[in-house]
Amino acid sequence: MRLSLHHFWLQKLGNEEADYEDAFAPKIDGIIDQETFAIAIADGATESSFASDWAKMLTRAFVKERFTNIQALQARTEILSKRWHTFVNRRPLPWFAEEKVRLGAFATLLGVELTSNSNDSNESGSWSAIAVGDSCLFQVRNDDLVLSFPISSASEFGSSPTLLSTNLARNSQLWEKVKRQTAEWQSGDLLLLATDALACWFLTEHENNEKPWNILYGFTENSSPQESFKAWANDARRSTRLKNDDITLLLVRL
Amino acid sequence: MPYQAEISRANPSCFLFLIDQSGSMSDPFGGSGPNKRKADGVSDAINKLLQNLVIKCAKSDGVRDYYYVGVIGYGASVGSAFMGSLAGKDLSPISQIANSPARIEERSKKVDDGAGGLVEQTIKFPIWFDPVANGGTPMCQALTQAKTIVQDWIAQHPSCFPPIVINITDGEATDGNPSDAANEIKSLASSDGNVLLFNVHLSSQKANPIEFPDSDSGLPDEFARLLFSMSSILPTHIQNAAKQEGYHISEASRGFVFNADIVSVIRFLDIGTRPSNLR
């Protein structure tokens, strides 16, 4: 399986780069030639502390271990939660940070594993995805949106999704809300993984009969991809077409 | 649409708390807890509000100044009620409030252990204010002072999310009818909407707690009815957030509670993604 991977990320307008609380993995761009491949994005919740560390841990762990079923996700969350607690408690914290640690960090997670069919010279295959919260996967084939997961309309976005927490007690109602999806891919397909603000814009555009994937994929062909993406996103934010939030986009061209 | 402005460090908003420290606050409190005075109810309420506001703004790198906060005490005198490094300041950034409690107490709390049981945890509880009960109840004067502070804030932050003024009292003003002063505060506005005035009524009456009522028909006395009438109607997004948490809310619900706490209002303010499983 041969694919090209591009990533774009941008902190909320008005914030510093260090304030960016989404995460993605792997952090590479370019041509990948592998039998199987895994990618993930996560969105750390603004109202929790150390959420970017939690989001990073989740995406890295997914890419390494590819837990696409709920039992494996649950088991992995327990281990990662212990690791997160060790990390944040490595030095004494002020009272408010201690209380935030007790409340827990929260993040979405969208992980996708791609596998090729061995019998057709890598021209097709399948993918399997797992999602907690409102980070989205879109599949585009022949200039048409053929699949949207786990959210399929812009009206489904809100400010209070149920998210994966380092505070395991907060996850008790979560497991039944975890979404899974498997589907086929063909050579030429485009997969887009996006955190909520960009995903909401994408679906809104599509609902207005636009083809937003062309705008997004266009940045990969620009001579300065990150700069052109940033300029476009900040402009869209100022005109309120795009909600002002951290944004992350992974593009996979198969 | 009003009440849509983004609350950020670049465009912060403002909270002003008014706390009744008059002599009548030494009377018994009709709400929860035996042998509690109304003054204990006030200090509990303001400490809990400040704690929750700090925690809302706390991030890994410290406390972000999404809000500037002031506390006006009214009783024997009227003015900034903070002691220590915050003394005498009308408004301070929330990060300074976070770093300047008078002391930090440890309290134990039973919390869900995630496996169907309860586990006892030690929680740090910062104290900024101890109970005070002394003098008359110059509520009109306190509201007038609040108006000046909020007016100055809006002049410097004309497009901010509108300031929120929360008055915690037994409602028994001794310097006249506070309705006019309350109306003057509510008539102030940023480009995003009018200033919000909420009231917390801590009474000696042993009546059931009431949260965000939409009419004064079930309220137990004239003081409750007066404070209800002074309170702003909750903005739509706060109504929606309150409904999501199971409160009975109508379009006429006001920012008023009787013998109950109003900490939930801080949860209802939007500074970004708030997980529904974070309570």
Side-chain angles (χ1 to χ4, degrees):
Chain A
M1 175 174 61
R2 196 174 151 84
L3 58 88
S4 74
L5 175 65
H6 297 275
H7 69 257
F8 296 90
W9 66 272
L10 188 60
Q11 78 278 10
K12 183 174 175 170
L13 188 63
N15 278 6
E16 304 289 327
E17 273 190 11
D19 297 334
Y20 169 77
E21 292 180 303
D22 286 357
F24 59 94
K27 288 198 158 182
I28 48 173
D29 263 1
I31 305 292
I32 314 266
D33 205 342
Q34 286 175 204
E35 279 301 296
T36 64
F37 187 62
I39 46 177
I41 60 172
D43 175 356
T46 319
E47 277 212 24
S48 56
S49 283
F50 305 101
S52 65
D53 303 300
W54 178 232
K56 275 182 208 151
M57 282 182 184
L58 289 169
T59 53
R60 285 179 192 157
F62 180 84
V63 166
K64 209 165 145 195
E65 293 158 40
R66 307 180 183 190
F67 34 82
T68 51
N69 72 69
I70 293 165
Q71 292 70 26
L73 172 66
Q74 199 167 348
R76 198 62 209 159
T77 302
E78 287 186 22
I79 295 166
L80 290 171
S81 162
K82 286 194 185 115
R83 198 178 293 168
W84 178 87
H85 278 94
T86 306
F87 172 75
V88 300
N89 287 317
R90 69 196 184 282
R91 55 171 190 250
L93 295 168
W95 69 267
F96 45 82
E98 240 180 66
E99 183 61 11
K100 282 286 226 209
V101 167
R102 201 184 61 76
L103 292 169
F106 291 77
T108 69
L109 176 67
L110 169 64
V112 186
E113 183 182 29
L114 294 137
T115 314
S116 59
N117 289 339
S118 50
N119 54 0
D120 72 346
S121 51
N122 294 333
E123 288 298 304
S124 66
S126 61
W127 57 259
S128 178
I130 191 162
V132 180
D134 54 8
S135 296
C136 291
L137 168 66
F138 305 113
Q139 183 170 13
V140 174
R141 178 175 298 165
N142 299 326
D143 209 21
D144 201 11
L145 181 65
V146 293
L147 195 142
S148 175
F149 167 80
I151 286 177
S152 50
S153 94
S155 61
E156 292 173 51
F157 289 93
S159 266
S160 301
T162 304
L163 305 180
L164 261 181
S165 181
T166 56
N167 182 340
L168 300 177
R170 304 290 179 181
N171 292 334
S172 55
Q173 311 294 315
L174 171 86
W175 307 114
E176 63 201 39
K177 294 178 186 166
V178 176
K179 302 277 180 13
R180 295 174 65 207
Q181 174 89 45
T182 54
E184 301 299 312
W185 61 262
Q186 291 175 10
S187 182
D189 282 359
L190 178 64
L191 298 183
L192 304 95
L193 281 71
T195 49
D196 61 329
L198 194 62
C200 183
W201 167 83
F202 185 100
L203 285 172
T204 306
E205 290 288 296
H206 183 250
E207 285 159 16
N208 291 328
N209 300 315
E210 300 291 336
K211 296 181 173 179
W213 51 88
N214 290 328
I215 294 177
L216 299 177
Y217 195 74
F219 297 119
T220 67
E221 292 160 343
N222 192 289
S223 56
S224 39
Q226 296 296 337
E227 286 309 306
S228 57
F229 176 74
K230 187 177 169 182
W232 169 82
N234 283 339
D235 185 54
R237 286 164 168 174
R238 286 191 192 96
S239 62
T240 70
R241 284 173 289 139
L242 183 64
K243 190 182 166 199
N244 189 19
D245 193 1
D246 291 337
I247 48 177
T248 301
L249 170 68
L250 297 186
L251 292 165
V252 179
R253 174 69 81 182
L254 288 148
Chain B
M1 279 277 285
Y3 307 108
Q4 303 264 308
E6 186 187 4
I7 301 168
S8 66
R9 283 165 289 180
N11 191 26
S13 188
C14 153
F15 257 102
L16 193 54
F17 299 99
L18 313 183
I19 56 174
D20 185 341
Q21 298 179 319
S22 65
S24 64
M25 302 310 280
S26 61
D27 295 345
F29 177 42
S32 60
N35 305 322
K36 221 173 151 182
R37 299 165 304 155
K38 288 186 277 188
D40 301 314
V42 171
S43 56
D44 275 358
I46 183 65
N47 288 325
K48 215 167 155 190
L49 282 161
L50 291 176
Q51 181 203 30
N52 276 268
L53 200 54
V54 168
I55 287 169
K56 189 175 183 88
C57 301
K59 297 294 297 176
S60 330
D61 55 355
V63 174
R64 294 186 179 173
D65 289 327
Y66 294 123
Y67 293 100
Y68 282 65
V69 179
V71 180
I72 296 176
Y74 57 101
S77 63
V78 180
S80 173
F82 280 112
M83 311 296 258
S85 61
L86 301 169
K89 290 184 186 163
D90 287 337
L91 293 172
S92 303
I94 187 75
S95 60
Q96 278 183 21
I97 309 253
N99 291 321
S100 315
R103 62 182 184 281
I104 295 176
E105 292 182 354
E106 293 197 338
R107 298 182 183 183
S108 63
K109 187 178 175 181
K110 286 199 168 69
V111 296
D112 185 350
D113 67 356
L118 290 173
V119 60
E120 198 158 282
Q121 278 186 355
T122 304
I123 313 271
K124 287 197 173 154
F125 195 84
I127 305 288
W128 288 269
F129 295 99
D130 285 310
V132 176
N134 196 4
T137 310
M139 196 189 301
C140 299
Q141 208 184 321
L143 288 164
T144 304
Q145 205 171 103
K147 183 194 157 196
T148 309
I149 294 171
V150 169
Q151 205 164 20
D152 289 351
W153 169 267
I154 291 175
Q156 289 161 32
H157 303 84
S159 58
C160 70
F161 184 91
I164 299 178
V165 179
I166 297 184
N167 179 31
I168 307 168
T169 176
D170 66 0
E172 301 170 26
T174 54
D175 63 345
N177 185 330
S179 296
D180 289 347
N183 285 335
E184 284 183 36
I185 289 183
K186 288 185 289 178
S187 70
L188 299 173
S190 77
S191 63
D192 190 47
N194 284 76
V195 172
L196 297 167
L197 174 62
F198 298 158
N199 286 283
V200 177
H201 186 183
L202 301 179
S203 162
S204 295
Q205 289 241 22
K206 289 200 181 301
N208 287 332
I210 298 167
E211 292 163 305
F212 312 120
D214 58 5
S215 88
D216 65 5
S217 58
L219 299 179
D221 62 25
E222 59 181 307
F223 300 113
R225 284 188 286 276
L226 174 68
L227 290 171
F228 170 84
S229 73
M230 286 161 54
S231 302
S232 302
I233 290 178
L234 296 172
T236 312
H237 79 281
I238 292 186
Q239 287 181 3
N240 290 340
K243 273 185 210 160
Q244 270 190 9
E245 283 201 16
Y247 286 92
H248 293 287
I249 297 287
S250 78
E251 283 181 3
S253 290
R254 296 195 187 210
F256 171 77
V257 299
F258 173 84
N259 283 0
D261 84 38
I262 203 164
V263 160
S264 56
V265 160
I266 290 180
R267 284 202 300 276
F268 304 153
L269 297 168
D270 185 8
I271 59 165
T273 307
R274 178 181 178 81
S276 65
N277 45 338
L278 172 59
R279 285 281 161 84

